[in-house]
Amino acid sequence: MAALIDISIAGRTYQVACREGEEENLRAAARLVDGKSREALSGLGTLSEARQFLFASLLLADQLIDDRPDAAPRAEPAAPDPALVERAEALATRLESLAAQLENGAEQA
């Protein structure tokens, strides 16, 4: 049987289903995402919800990569490719638009 629990990320509450017995793991994961989401917000200023989650996931992925014992030593980061930055911004804008449409649809339902 699935259990419904409330988790809070970046000041917003979400109701999420999980399997019985996995509630605390889900709460712990939500705390990690919440912390990284707040870290992204404090470092970058005002962000849309989609971008906040995007940067939180990137921070978590970076942390996972750093914690891997087989990870190669980090080289100095190169300057970002302007074309890739532009594509990432376009994707983020599109994701925000889709999220807004989904939220509007949920509110009207």
Side-chain angles (χ1 to χ4, degrees):
M1 181 104 186
L4 285 176
I5 64 167
D6 290 333
I7 59 172
S8 179
I9 298 174
R12 191 164 179 186
T13 301
Y14 300 89
Q15 192 171 62
V16 181
C18 66
R19 290 185 285 223
E20 290 289 334
E22 293 184 355
E23 297 88 351
E24 195 49 45
N25 284 346
L26 182 55
R27 286 185 183 100
R31 285 191 297 272
L32 284 172
V33 173
D34 179 57
K36 292 301 179 184
S37 180
R38 290 178 188 278
E39 183 180 331
L41 191 59
S42 70
L44 297 170
T46 304
L47 294 172
S48 69
E49 184 178 33
R51 284 188 186 208
Q52 201 169 356
F53 279 116
L54 169 67
F55 284 109
S57 65
L58 291 172
L59 287 168
L60 284 167
D62 184 56
Q63 182 178 334
L64 287 171
I65 290 168
D66 284 348
D67 289 346
R68 277 194 357 223
D70 62 335
R74 295 184 109 184
E76 285 297 315
D81 180 348
L84 289 177
V85 170
E86 186 177 324
R87 289 177 61 193
E89 288 288 332
L91 283 171
T93 301
R94 180 69 178 136
L95 285 171
E96 289 173 356
S97 173
L98 290 171
Q101 289 175 11
L102 287 171
E103 286 178 358
N104 288 338
E107 290 172 2
Q108 292 175 1

